[in-house]
Amino acid sequence: MDEELRSLTERLRRESGATPAFEHLAASGEGELAQVLTAPGQPLWARELAAFRLGLAGDRRAFESLVLLLNHRDPQRCASAAHALARLGDPRTARAAAALATNELRVAYALHPVRLLVELRAPESAPALITTLERRLRPHDPHRRVALACVEGLGALGDPRARTVLNEALAHPVLAQAAVRALARIPRPR
């Protein structure tokens, strides 16, 4: 069993109170899981379990629910959604993650969309991380974890377009060491 699925299943089992409804849904097939995503009055744990399992199965009916969970205030839900979205294989995923990562109104929840963009290595990844990092370099920005994820992600992507913003990150003590490492991973122009 996928470690992330095991962890999610245990967390949601506790959240649901280990009800028979949970156990039934945990053993359900894709058709029943997809119905949970559209049925009214379903608890959040049920929607999350259904979306996650469908995402791992590559069933694109989970896409919208997973994107909503990627932007949730609970970091565990965001992490699970990012894991499932990375495996879903839906071409809309990178665009949705980039929109979430660059949304200034939801920047407090941008950590997992940023990490997902790095994992996807899509054309949208580097531009979104550059934009997000530029905004985090303002004085007294409280979202240092997001900024650090952008710096590390840009290093992992190795995109030369990131060189300017990474050089700017060197002036921020919290980001400086990571920026040095990221810059070292970016190929030098010839």
Side-chain angles (χ1 to χ4, degrees), residues 70-86:
L70 181 63
N71 196 32
H72 197 275
R73 68 183 174 274
D74 179 352
Q76 289 181 309
R77 294 194 199 287
C78 298
S80 295
H83 180 82
L85 280 165

Side-chain angles (χ1 to χ4, degrees), residues 147-166:
L148 185 58
C150 288
V151 169
E152 292 169 348
L154 288 167
L157 293 173
D159 191 308
R161 296 175 291 180
R163 190 173 293 286
T164 300
V165 73
L166 289 171

Side-chain angles (χ1 to χ4, degrees), residues 24 36 38 47 52-53 81-82 88 95 112 114 120 126 130 157 160 169 187-188:
H24 175 77
V36 168
T38 58
R47 292 186 191 283
F52 186 86
R53 288 191 52 221
L88 179 60
R95 192 169 47 250
H112 292 285
V114 164
L120 294 173
I130 290 167
L157 293 173
R188 296 244 179 242

